[in-house]
Amino acid sequence: MSKFSMFMKANKVIKENAKFAVTKSLCDEKGEPLLWEFRAVSSKENEDIRDACVVEMPVAGKSGVSRSKLKTGMYVQKLIAASVVVPDLYDAELQDSYGVKTPEELLMALVDDPGEYNRLAEFVQHFHGFDVSLDEKAEQAKN
C-alpha cells in the first residue's frame, strides 16, 4: 500500500452539480421559477477564465510601465457561464432567440434583473467555495 493511497484519484470526492432558481422571469407551467443546473469548474478552468479577464493597465506617469488588472465583472460573468449546465448557454437556437452570440451575452439576456444577477453571482461563488476561507474549511473538516 502506497503512503499516498488516500490521495489517489479513486479516493477523490466528485462535487455534485447543484440546482438554483435563478430568475422569476422564466417559469414552468405551474408558475414556478425554472431550476438551472451548475457544475463545478476545475482549478485549471478557473485559472484560464481568470487569465482571459486580465488586462494590462498603464501606470500613470511611468512611460512603458503597466500593471495587470483583473476585470472582476467579466471574470464573474465568465465563471457563471462556464458553470451553467442547464440551460445550455452555447445552444445556437437559444442564443438566436435572444439575439446574442456568446454564452456570456445569453446569460445577461436571460438574467436581466440586476438583483437576480447579484444573487446568481453569490450562489456560484459560494458553490465554488470562494466565500469560505481555508481556515474555515479546516475547522469544518475537524467537525
Side-chain angles (χ1 to χ4, degrees):
M1 177 183 249
S2 167
K3 64 182 177 182
F4 297 111
S5 63
M6 294 305 295
F7 289 94
M8 297 300 176
K9 188 173 182 176
N11 293 320
K12 189 169 176 104
V13 175
I14 305 298
K15 188 171 192 172
E16 292 194 23
N17 289 0
K19 294 187 177 186
F20 180 68
V22 173
T23 179
K24 294 177 184 173
S25 64
L26 295 167
C27 298
D28 64 16
E29 53 280 343
K30 296 177 186 173
E32 296 293 322
L34 297 174
L35 290 177
W36 292 30
E37 185 176 347
F38 298 85
R39 70 174 184 88
V41 299
S42 69
S43 295
K44 170 73 170 105
E45 287 174 292
N46 182 60
E47 285 303 310
D48 290 346
I49 292 167
R50 182 179 291 279
D51 288 348
C53 298
V54 172
V55 293
E56 293 299 317
M57 302 291 293
V59 174
K62 296 188 178 184
S63 180
V65 177
S66 64
R67 63 177 179 82
S68 298
K69 179 181 184 315
L70 176 66
K71 295 182 80 176
T72 308
M74 179 190 290
Y75 167 70
V76 170
Q77 186 181 65
K78 286 182 175 292
L79 179 63
I80 294 170
S83 301
V84 174
V85 175
V86 175
D88 181 358
L89 299 180
Y90 292 85
D91 184 80
E93 183 180 3
L94 187 56
Q95 289 178 356
D96 289 347
S97 78
Y98 283 89
V100 299
K101 297 293 180 197
T102 68
E104 293 82 14
E105 289 174 325
L106 180 56
L107 173 66
M108 298 305 283
L110 288 165
V111 189
D112 58 356
D113 179 279
E116 290 178 338
Y117 183 80
N118 280 343
R119 283 187 292 282
L120 170 59
E122 288 172 7
F123 168 80
V124 169
Q125 290 174 70
H126 176 75
F127 178 66
H128 288 292
F130 288 121
D131 63 334
V132 180
S133 73
L134 192 56
D135 291 336
E136 290 172 314
K137 285 183 180 182
E139 190 60 35
Q140 288 172 358
K142 288 179 191 175
N143 297 330

